[in-house]
Amino acid sequence: MIHILLLILKIIGIILLALLAVILALLLVLLFVPVRCTVEAAIDNTPESAEGVIRFRWLFYLLAGEAAWRDGKFSWKFRAAWKKFSDEDDPDPAPDPDPDQVSVSASAPVSAPAPAERSIKNEDAPAAGTVRTDVSSGSGGSPSGHSETAAGNSDEERVSRIKRFTDRIKSSFRRIKYTFQHLYDKIKALNHKKEYISRFLSNEIHKKAFSRLLREIRGLLRRLRPRRAAIDITFGFEDPSTTGYTLAGISLIYPVIGEYTNLTPDFEHRVLKGNLFIREKIRLVYFLIFAWNMLLDRNVRTTYRHLRKYKL
């Protein structure tokens, strides 16, 4: 009996170890097998000439896809194992209506009302003379009644116009008062937020957390730097100062992209043309390292708790 129990426990242990090995292998595959990405783009001084394509694949084309912009149209396709999807997979069109039924319904005449119905309608309609009699009897046959009624109506219209005008003035004053009050509240809230943000940023713990965040972001970008790339761009704007500002902004990241980038500014013409090619391998472990380093820092955890506790 004991031998049977030991054999069962041994089998269960082997199964658990096999499952653990499979899970560990899947985790290693997810973390270290890269997603291979390729980006290609080109433009020749007009928006219509712009073309671009992004391709990616993972684990021997187990997952693969492509998104492209060509001839002013966007297209995409995706593959998961043996299943394929694309923008060309349109649903089945709705069946066309039967032309015989359409012709029959179009040629069917509209039925005219029956004679009995016409006679009923004519009997129900009041005579023209009766209407004139009612009107004349309501007026009393006196012209002075008409003048008194017209004078009363004019007085009521004058009073209603004055009332509407005063109501509009009152509503305008209320809106102006509400606008100034709302603006004052906004300015007060902005001053409060400014003081709170300045106090928050001046905290020594928060300064260390932000410096750690910047350091980790630089490390992540360094790991994600393309292995193969070629960028050749010629650009220029109508205003030469805009071209200079753009070149100054690009110079901030030029130390990272300078080895495979060729930029040619044109200060005399408005132009944008060039080619771009990037091939990169992205691994999930890069982002895991970034998250792990951030979570291990006590200053980052404290800053995160403060951000959740305080609201602007």
Side-chain angles (χ1 to χ4, degrees):
M1 187 66 181
I2 297 176
H3 296 289
I4 295 175
L5 291 176
L6 292 176
L7 181 61
I8 293 173
L9 292 176
K10 183 179 179 180
I11 294 173
I12 294 174
I14 293 173
I15 293 173
L16 291 177
L17 286 175
L19 290 175
L20 184 60
V22 171
I23 294 173
L24 182 61
L26 290 176
L27 288 176
L28 293 175
V29 167
L30 290 174
L31 292 176
F32 293 99
V33 174
V35 178
R36 303 175 184 271
C37 300
T38 303
V39 180
E40 298 180 23
I43 188 171
D44 190 10
N45 210 25
T46 57
E48 293 79 9
S49 64
E51 294 184 353
V53 60
I54 300 176
R55 301 185 184 92
F56 71 92
R57 60 186 176 90
W58 181 74
L59 197 60
F60 303 106
Y61 291 94
L62 182 65
L63 294 177
E66 175 184 303
W69 177 268
R70 298 186 182 94
D71 299 329
K73 296 181 180 179
F74 178 76
S75 61
W76 63 272
K77 56 184 178 180
F78 177 74
R79 173 183 175 181
W82 61 88
K83 190 67 175 178
K84 297 181 180 181
F85 309 92
S86 68
D87 58 342
E88 299 178 356
D89 300 335
D90 297 328
D92 295 334
D96 296 332
D98 191 357
D100 297 334
Q101 295 179 359
V102 174
S103 61
V104 170
S105 60
S107 60
V110 179
S111 58
E117 296 178 355
R118 288 198 300 268
S119 63
I120 292 172
K121 292 180 180 180
N122 293 332
E123 290 176 0
D124 293 338
T130 306
V131 174
R132 286 195 298 270
T133 304
D134 294 340
V135 172
S136 61
S137 61
S139 61
S142 174
S144 61
H146 288 288
S147 61
E148 292 176 357
T149 303
N153 293 335
S154 62
D155 293 337
E156 292 177 357
E157 291 178 359
R158 189 181 302 108
V159 171
S160 63
R161 285 198 299 268
I162 295 173
K163 186 177 180 181
R164 288 196 299 269
F165 180 72
T166 55
D167 291 340
R168 283 198 298 269
I169 293 176
K170 291 179 180 179
S171 63
S172 299
F173 277 111
R174 284 196 296 268
R175 285 196 297 269
I176 293 171
K177 181 180 179 181
Y178 173 77
T179 302
F180 277 104
Q181 184 67 32
H182 186 66
L183 183 61
Y184 174 75
D185 294 339
K186 284 286 187 182
I187 295 173
K188 189 176 179 180
L190 287 175
N191 289 332
H192 176 71
K193 291 180 180 180
K194 181 181 178 181
E195 295 176 359
Y196 171 74
I197 292 173
S198 62
R199 289 196 307 268
F200 188 87
L201 295 177
S202 61
N203 191 300
E204 192 66 26
I205 295 177
H206 302 161
K207 286 182 178 180
K208 293 180 180 179
F210 292 144
S211 63
R212 182 59 183 268
L213 176 62
L214 293 176
R215 187 164 64 251
E216 293 298 330
I217 289 176
R218 285 196 296 267
L220 179 62
L221 294 178
R222 187 168 55 252
R223 297 186 189 97
L224 294 176
R225 188 169 56 181
R227 300 299 183 267
R228 290 184 57 189
I231 302 174
D232 186 5
I233 297 177
T234 301
F235 67 95
F237 298 91
E238 294 180 354
D239 189 356
S241 62
T242 306
T243 305
Y245 292 143
T246 304
L247 186 62
I250 297 175
S251 65
L252 298 176
I253 60 173
Y254 194 80
V256 181
I257 64 174
E259 57 181 313
Y260 45 77
T261 303
N262 181 23
L263 295 176
T264 305
D266 191 338
F267 293 93
E268 297 181 357
H269 305 90
R270 180 180 178 181
V271 60
L272 177 61
K273 58 182 179 180
N275 300 284
L276 180 144
F277 173 81
I278 298 175
R279 180 172 293 172
E280 172 62 343
K281 297 179 181 179
I282 302 175
R283 292 180 172 86
L284 185 62
V285 68
Y286 299 156
F287 301 95
L288 183 63
I289 293 172
F290 172 81
W292 180 260
N293 292 336
M294 294 295 294
L295 290 176
L296 286 181
D297 195 306
R298 184 176 60 184
N299 297 321
V300 173
R301 295 197 304 269
T302 304
T303 303
Y304 176 73
R305 286 196 299 268
H306 290 174
L307 285 174
R308 292 193 60 184
K309 183 178 180 180
Y310 298 104
K311 296 182 179 179
L312 292 176

